[in-house]
C-alpha cells in the first residue's frame, strides 16, 4: 500500500465526484420525497454505500419496515462483492488485515474495476484501491447531503450524468483489459449473457452472471506459456 | 415512523453490506493459489467489465450506448480519460436532446 498508488487512484477517480455526486443527489431527493430526515439519509448513504442496495430497500420501504426481506435483498444485490473481495485477496493477500478490512468498507464496483486494471499496468497496490474509493464516497454521500441543503429537483442532465458516467469511465478502461484475439469469445459471451439476464431476469444480476459466463469461456482457453 | 427503528434498520443494512464486501476477502484466505477458483478469479475482471458496461448501456438507453461508444473510441485514439469522458457525455447529451 503506497502513497504513490493512493495519489494515482485519487486523481484517476476524480470524475466520480461528479457522477457519484449526481447519483447521490438523485438518491437524496428520493429519500427527501419519502420523508426521511437528512441525518438518516446521509447515514444510509454512508453506512450502506451501495446504489443498488439503497434503491432496492427504498422500493421496499413500508410500515412496519420489512427488515428480514431488506437484508435478503441486500445480500442478493451485493453478492458480486464476494467475488470482488476474493479477487482482491489474490492481489493483496500479503497485506495485514488491519489495513485491508477498513479499506473494504469503501469497496465499490468502479473502484474494484479500476484497481484490477491498474494492477495489470502498474502491479498490485492497495493504496490505489483506497485512493480511488475516496472521491466516489465523497461524491455519493456529499450528493445525498446536497439534496437536503440545496433547493434542487431531479432533471435530465443530472439523471444522465448519474447513469452514464460510471459506465463511460469503465469503458475507458476496457482497452487495458484486451489481451489478444482470444479475449473476443469470452467478451461476447459476457455481453450476451448480461443482456439476457438484464432483460429477462434482473438487471442487478447482469454483471455477476454475465461476467461469470464469460469467465467460464475464458477458462476453456489453453493457458498462456 | 420511529427514528430509533429507522436508525436500527440502517445499521443492520450497513453491517450486511460490509459483511458482503469483506466476506469474499476473508473466505478467499482458504483458497489454493493454483486451483480452479483462483484461475476463475484471475480471468474474471475483463469479463465483468463487459457485463458492467452492457448493464449500464441498457439502463442509459440509446443515448447511453452512443455516449459509451464515443467514450471508448476517443479513449482508444487519445488515451486520455478526461477527453474520452467529455466526448462521451457530450455525445450522450446531444443524442438525448434529439430524442434518441
Amino acid at each position: 500500500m503506497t502513497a504513490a498508488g493512493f495519489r494515482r487512484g485519487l486523481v484517476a477517480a476524480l470524475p466520480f465526484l461528479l457522477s457519484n455526486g449526481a447519483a447521490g443527489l438523485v438518491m437524496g431527493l428520493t429519500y427527501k420525497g419519502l420523508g426521511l430526515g437528512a441525518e438518516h439519509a446521509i447515514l444510509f448513504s454512508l453506512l450502506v454505500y451501495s446504489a443498488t442496495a439503497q434503491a432496492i430497500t427504498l422500493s421496499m420501504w413500508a410500515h412496519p419496515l420489512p427488515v428480514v426481506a431488506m437484508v435478503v435483498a441486500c445480500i442478493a444485490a451485493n453478492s458480486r462483492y464476494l467475488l470482488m473481495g476474493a479477487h482482491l485477496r489474490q492481489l493483496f493477500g500479503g497485506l495485514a488485515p488491519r489495513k485491508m478490512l477498513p479499506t473494504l468498507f469503501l469497496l465499490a464496483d468502479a473502484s474494484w474495476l479500476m484497481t484490477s486494471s491498474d494492477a495489470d499496468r502498474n502491479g498490485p497496490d492497495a493504496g490505489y484501491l483506497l485512493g480511488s474509493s475516496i472521491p466516489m464516497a465523497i461524491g455519493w454521500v456529499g450528493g445525498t447531503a446536497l439534496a437536503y441543503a440545496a433547493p434542487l429537483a431531479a432533471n435530465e442532465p443530472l439523471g444522465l450524468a448519474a447513469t452514464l458516467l460510471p459506465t463511460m469511465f469503465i469503458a475507458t478502461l476496457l482497452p487495458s483489459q484486451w489481451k489478444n484475439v482470444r479475449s473476443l469469445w469470452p467478451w461476447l459471451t459476457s455481453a450476451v449473457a448480461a443482456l439476457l439476464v438484464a432483460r429477462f431476469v434482473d438487471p442487478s444480476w447482469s454483471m455477476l452472471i454475465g461476467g461469470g459466463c464469460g469467465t467460464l469461456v475464458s477458462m476453456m482457453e489453453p493457458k498462456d506459456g | 415512523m420511529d427514528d430509533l427503528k429507522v436508525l436500527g434498520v440502517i445499521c443492520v443494512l450497513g453491517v450486511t453490506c460490509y459483511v458482503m464486501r469483506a466476506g469474499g476477502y476473508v473466505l478467499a484466505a482458504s483458497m489454493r493459489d493454483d486451483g480452479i477458483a483462483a484461475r476463475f478469479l484471475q480471468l474474471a475482471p475483463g469479463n465483468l467489465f463487459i457485463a458492467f458496461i452492457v448493464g449500464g448501456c441498457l439502463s442509459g438507453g440509446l443515448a447511453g450506448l452512443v455516449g459509451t461508444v464515443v467514450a471508448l473510441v476517443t479513449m482508444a485514439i487519445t488515451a486520455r480519460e478526461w477527453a474520452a469522458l467529455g466526448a462521451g457525455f457530450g455525445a450522450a447529451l446531444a443524442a438525448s436532446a434529439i430524442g434518441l
Side-chain angles (χ1 to χ4, degrees):
Chain A
M1 184 180 261
T2 69
F6 177 83
R7 275 195 301 273
R8 203 168 58 246
L10 191 75
V11 171
L14 283 178
F16 283 91
L17 275 176
L18 181 64
S19 64
N20 277 19
L25 184 58
V26 172
M27 185 62 75
L29 289 170
T30 315
Y31 281 139
K32 204 172 163 182
L34 203 68
L36 210 64
E39 302 85 359
H40 284 149
I42 293 166
L43 201 64
F44 219 128
S45 285
L46 185 68
L47 292 183
V48 177
Y49 185 50
S50 163
T52 327
Q54 287 179 239
I56 289 174
T57 51
L58 195 68
S59 69
M60 300 166 85
W61 208 260
H63 185 73
L65 288 166
V67 185
V68 175
M70 284 175 157
V71 168
V72 172
C74 271
I75 291 171
N78 286 345
S79 52
R80 65 191 185 281
Y81 287 132
L82 290 174
L83 182 66
M84 294 179 196
H87 178 257
L88 290 175
R89 183 92 196 192
Q90 285 195 322
L91 296 179
F92 309 127
L95 214 60
R98 69 184 162 79
K99 286 185 178 173
M100 267 315 285
L101 291 179
T103 304
L104 290 172
F105 183 79
L106 296 178
L107 177 65
D109 293 342
S111 62
W112 176 77
L113 292 166
M114 287 174 69
T115 303
S116 301
S117 176
D118 184 72
D120 282 348
R121 287 174 299 190
N122 301 309
D125 189 336
Y128 189 94
L129 176 65
L130 181 60
S132 62
S133 297
I134 287 175
M136 296 178 195
I138 291 175
W140 181 248
V141 179
T144 306
L146 193 63
Y148 285 83
L152 293 165
N155 57 40
E156 195 181 348
L158 195 66
L160 213 56
T163 309
L164 297 182
L165 280 177
T167 308
M168 286 179 201
F169 193 89
I170 299 308
T172 66
L173 300 177
L174 209 51
S176 71
Q177 292 295 309
W178 177 262
K179 303 285 188 275
N180 52 46
V181 74
R182 290 207 319 240
S183 299
L184 192 62
W185 285 113
W187 283 19
L188 270 176
T189 306
S190 297
V192 171
L195 201 65
L196 291 174
V197 171
R199 180 76 180 80
F200 297 110
V201 185
D202 187 328
S204 64
W205 285 94
S206 65
M207 180 183 175
L208 189 64
I209 297 177
C213 290
T215 307
L216 288 176
V217 174
S218 295
M219 289 180 76
M220 291 174 199
E221 304 277 358
K223 285 185 187 177
D224 288 330
Chain B
M1 203 173 286
D2 186 351
D3 276 2
L4 268 181
K5 274 187 188 166
V6 174
L7 190 64
V9 169
I10 292 170
C11 290
V12 167
L13 295 178
V15 169
T16 306
C17 285
Y18 178 69
V19 167
M20 298 304 287
R21 286 188 166 95
Y25 187 84
V26 172
L27 291 174
S30 56
M31 194 172 66
R32 279 176 50 205
D33 285 346
D34 58 349
I36 290 176
R39 181 160 151 75
F40 184 90
L41 292 172
Q42 281 162 7
L43 295 169
N47 295 298
L48 287 164
F49 276 44
I50 293 289
F52 180 89
I53 291 167
V54 167
C57 286
L58 276 181
S59 60
L62 205 50
L65 182 63
V66 169
T68 305
V69 170
V70 169
L72 184 59
V73 171
T74 310
M75 184 67 187
I77 295 168
T78 65
R80 289 179 195 281
E81 280 153 4
W82 285 94
L85 287 176
F89 190 57
L93 268 181
S96 174
I98 60 170
L100 284 181

